[in-house]
């Protein structure tokens, strides 16, 4: 049987998030949530939206468990922060009525794509407070891991 080289047309190279970065993101988010005074659920997915790491802090609401996972999934699935969805759909009645009914799609803050050198590696989602709290804690974790600077995601900087 002939082997097809990995550089052949039609073959793509996939870069993924590793366990060390997943662990660091969860650790940093946990510390930021404690400093913020809000127990949260923290989810990290790969670029396919598959859960790679999760933590529900003591005292985080039960509903936050699924919301954090859905925020990470949404961010990975579309490559944009979840808070940008509202702005995107608010002036389009058919989209605004239909897209929020898509399972797992979240249209409020707390989910961010994970990008390194422009490559989408996954998503992070936080839930437990008001969505602005979730955003602040996620941004603190991303900053601590070198994935956020000057208040803008790497995607927004490009």
């Amino acid at each position: 049987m002939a082997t097809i080289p990995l550089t052949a047309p039609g073959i793509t190279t996939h870069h993924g998030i590793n366990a060390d970065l997943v662990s660091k993101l969860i650790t940093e988010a946990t510390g930021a949530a404690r400093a913020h005074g809000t127990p949260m659920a923290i989810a990290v997915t790969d670029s396919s939206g598959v859960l790679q790491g999760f933590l529900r802090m003591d005292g985080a609401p039960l509903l936050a468990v699924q919301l954090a996972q859905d925020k990470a999934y949404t961010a990975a699935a579309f490559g944009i922060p979840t808070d940008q969805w509202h702005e995107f759909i608010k002036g389009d009645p058919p989209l605004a009525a239909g897209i929020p009914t898509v399972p797992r799609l979240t249209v409020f803050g707390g989910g961010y794509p994970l990008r390194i050198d422009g490559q989408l590696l996954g998503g992070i989602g936080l839930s437990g407070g008001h969505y602005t709290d979730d955003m602040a804690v996620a941004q603190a974790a991303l900053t601590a891991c070198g994935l956020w600077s000057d208040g803008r995601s790497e995607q927004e900087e490009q």
Side-chain angles (χ1 to χ4, degrees):
M1 180 196 283
T3 2
I4 299 173
L6 292 178
T7 56
I11 305 294
T12 61
T13 302
H14 173 76
H15 298 281
I17 188 169
N18 66 30
D20 290 339
L21 182 54
V22 170
S23 179
K24 184 171 182 177
L25 283 162
I26 290 173
T27 298
E28 294 295 341
T30 301
R34 282 190 184 117
H36 201 269
T38 307
M40 296 191 171
I42 304 152
V44 180
T45 68
D46 66 14
S47 61
S48 299
V50 175
L51 190 63
Q52 298 298 301
F54 177 81
L55 175 71
R56 178 183 178 200
M57 295 174 64
D58 295 342
L62 178 59
L63 187 58
V65 170
Q66 191 62 49
L67 286 172
Q69 292 177 51
D70 290 349
K71 288 178 184 185
Y73 177 87
T74 300
F78 287 93
I80 62 171
T82 56
D83 64 285
Q84 291 182 7
W85 272 98
H86 178 72
E87 191 65 32
F88 182 68
I89 67 173
K90 72 179 184 181
D92 187 334
L95 189 57
I99 201 76
T101 66
V102 172
R104 303 198 64 193
L105 182 82
T106 305
V107 298
F108 47 88
Y112 292 89
L114 302 174
R115 291 184 185 277
I116 296 177
D117 295 332
Q119 179 75 36
L120 180 65
L121 300 179
I124 185 170
L126 281 88
S127 184
H130 186 271
Y131 71 86
T132 56
D133 300 320
D134 301 344
M135 292 170 65
V137 172
Q139 290 169 13
L142 292 168
T143 298
C145 292
L147 300 173
W148 184 274
S149 63
D150 301 319
R152 296 179 297 170
S153 70
E154 182 179 314
Q155 177 188 11
E156 292 168 324
E157 291 175 6
Q158 294 177 0

